[in-house]
Amino acid sequence: MRWIGAAAIFLLMAVIGHLAILNAIPSRIMSAAQARMADRGVGMYQWVAATRMTPETQTIVRPSPDLAYAICRFDVSDGPVLLTAPSAETYGSLSIFDSKTNNVFIARLDGAETFASVVVSGPGASAESFKGVPDGAQTITMTGKGLALIRRLAPDQATHDVAAGLVDEARCEQVVD
Amino acid sequence: MRVFILLLIVGFLGLFAGGASALWMGGIAGSGPRLGEAVRIDGWTSDWSIGSEAANPYIRARIARFGLLALRKEEAVYFTTARDTNGRRLRDDCIYSVSGGTMPAAWWSITLYDRDSRLPMNSDGALSFDASDAEQMGAPDQWGFRVSADQSGHPDELWVSSRNAGQFDLTLRLYLPTQELLDDPEGTLQPPIVKELYCDGRS
């Protein structure tokens, strides 16, 4: 009887440990990625164009060498965040990932969709009430820290330079109350 | 008291075993089991739940480990193979031909990654082959390239370098996939054919 009880406790604790660790993995990896980016000088609330992906410059797993990347780190705990990015003729997208690695928003930047801006806010925050929210902005909610990523098709250095130049026209900033 | 201490130890052992198995299945400790391969076509595997909240915790953990910031299927789908047409593991001391035709997407690329999901550490500048290369070949519907550790003897041939990759895999990215592909991947996609041409010590 004692051994049955011990086996039951072992199994119960194994299931608890398994689920706790498994569900924590994405958040921990995302948190580590954010920390690595911060170490490399990627500040909060600003788009930073990545250098062309090569074996020497890769910072995340499985980067695509055919794309130009720009990244912005933000935290909706500090208030709503406004994200914009200009469209171009070639394939491109703006995607937002939450702290659990979910792809919570995506907009195409190749002119096929009329994307102007998106405001990301925490749950319960009414982003529309902020003065700095542009008319027609899309709104989404999420919690805590997030990453926004612009991908643009750039299979060679010339197209990569053009894509990198477009980063200056994009905005990633806290919305003014 | 002895019983209490015994149960405490058993509980800790259970927590440890559960945590260790989660790290293994999530791909953090060791490569773990093959998960996230719900779509299988001729040795190429993918999973349509990548990037979405619908993904189960095992897939989410493995994607975080091996493909952080992956997009949802409506924007891009990712197929990977680590074996040639004979089922042999892809290695940097072998030479392969990769060929294919029209892909059901707006744009596509094939990139080589080493065992750690990194671009291989070489300076050859030949990391991938994409739709633009196929068009430049003048054969967007019948393209081919070589995968090898060096290009010696074939300077005019398009290639992807496997130098310093060890055991590697190839990832096919399909951007803006067609609805037909999403609805019926097995009936729509004819994935690239990876054929071994030569293998050091085997041929």
Side-chain angles (χ1 to χ4, degrees):
Chain A
M1 193 65 187
R2 186 181 296 172
W3 293 110
I4 293 175
I9 287 179
F10 179 86
L11 281 175
L12 177 67
M13 297 308 282
V15 169
I16 291 172
H18 186 86
L19 293 178
I21 295 291
L22 188 65
N23 285 299
I25 288 173
S27 306
R28 293 300 295 268
I29 289 177
M30 187 60 122
S31 177
Q34 287 252 19
R36 273 201 308 275
M37 288 173 197
D39 289 344
R40 288 178 177 243
V42 179
M44 300 282 281
Y45 309 109
Q46 57 178 296
W47 284 111
V48 176
T51 52
R52 196 155 183 233
M53 283 298 154
T54 67
E56 289 78 23
T57 62
Q58 57 190 329
T59 53
I60 57 171
V61 292
R62 294 185 180 267
S64 172
D66 307 300
L67 297 179
Y69 294 94
I71 201 152
C72 173
R73 301 170 55 228
F74 61 86
D75 189 343
V76 295
S77 305
D78 302 334
V81 179
L82 171 69
L83 295 158
T84 73
S87 291
E89 288 183 3
T90 54
Y91 167 77
S93 68
L94 185 159
S95 48
I96 298 173
F97 298 85
D98 67 14
S99 60
K100 295 177 180 171
T101 72
N102 292 314
N103 180 195
V104 295
F105 176 84
I106 190 155
R108 285 174 63 177
L109 300 177
D110 53 9
E113 294 174 1
T114 52
F115 170 74
S117 60
V118 59
V119 175
V120 191
S121 58
S126 178
E128 291 86 348
S129 65
F130 284 75
K131 291 175 189 167
V133 174
D135 292 339
Q138 300 178 56
T139 58
I140 62 166
T141 58
M142 54 174 269
T143 56
K145 290 182 177 178
L147 279 178
L149 191 64
I150 294 175
R151 292 170 161 94
R152 293 188 195 275
L153 186 58
D156 53 52
Q157 189 63 51
T159 49
H160 190 277
D161 293 344
V162 171
L166 290 171
V167 174
D168 292 339
E169 299 174 36
R171 294 164 68 189
C172 175
E173 59 200 31
Q174 290 182 279
V175 178
V176 178
D177 193 358
Chain B
M1 187 63 183
R2 275 179 57 194
V3 172
F4 177 74
I5 291 173
L6 174 70
L7 293 180
L8 204 61
I9 291 171
V10 166
F12 274 119
L13 286 175
L15 268 182
F16 179 79
S21 65
L23 291 174
W24 180 69
M25 293 189 76
I28 305 299
S31 57
R34 294 164 71 92
L35 296 168
E37 299 176 351
V39 182
R40 289 168 172 261
I41 309 172
D42 297 342
W44 293 78
T45 59
S46 184
D47 194 294
W48 275 193
S49 67
I50 288 172
S52 83
E53 295 183 37
N56 71 47
Y58 297 100
I59 292 174
R60 290 158 66 91
R62 292 185 69 81
I63 293 303
R65 167 70 179 83
F66 297 109
L68 188 64
L69 309 183
L71 294 168
R72 290 187 303 222
K73 67 178 190 296
E74 293 79 9
E75 193 70 15
V77 293
Y78 308 84
F79 281 88
T80 299
T81 189
R83 296 182 184 276
D84 64 18
T85 48
N86 292 319
R88 291 185 179 128
R89 198 76 174 73
L90 302 177
R91 297 164 20 195
D92 65 0
D93 54 355
C94 302
I95 298 173
Y96 304 93
S97 74
V98 182
S99 59
T102 306
M103 292 290 149
W107 199 80
W108 55 268
S109 67
I110 298 172
T111 309
L112 188 152
Y113 295 100
D114 67 16
R115 206 169 187 174
D116 294 325
S117 297
R118 300 273 172 179
L119 298 168
M121 290 304 290
N122 66 57
S123 55
D124 295 330
L127 300 165
S128 67
F129 183 92
D130 60 42
S132 308
D133 295 320
E135 276 190 26
Q136 280 176 18
M137 288 174 72
D141 55 354
Q142 196 178 2
W143 47 265
F145 63 95
R146 172 181 290 253
V147 176
S148 55
D150 63 62
Q151 204 180 13
S152 59
H154 303 274
D156 299 327
E157 199 170 338
L158 283 167
W159 75 309
V160 169
S161 175
S162 60
R163 189 157 60 92
N164 297 332
Q167 288 190 340
F168 63 86
D169 64 51
L170 298 170
T171 290
L172 168 66
R173 287 180 170 85
L174 297 163
Y175 291 99
L176 303 177
T178 62
Q179 193 58 47
E180 289 76 20
L181 175 65
L182 298 180
D183 293 343
D184 179 20
E186 290 84 0
T188 304
L189 178 66
Q190 288 191 305
I193 296 166
V194 184
K195 201 177 282 184
E196 180 189 301
L197 299 178
Y198 170 82
C199 213
D200 198 14
R202 194 153 65 215
S203 305

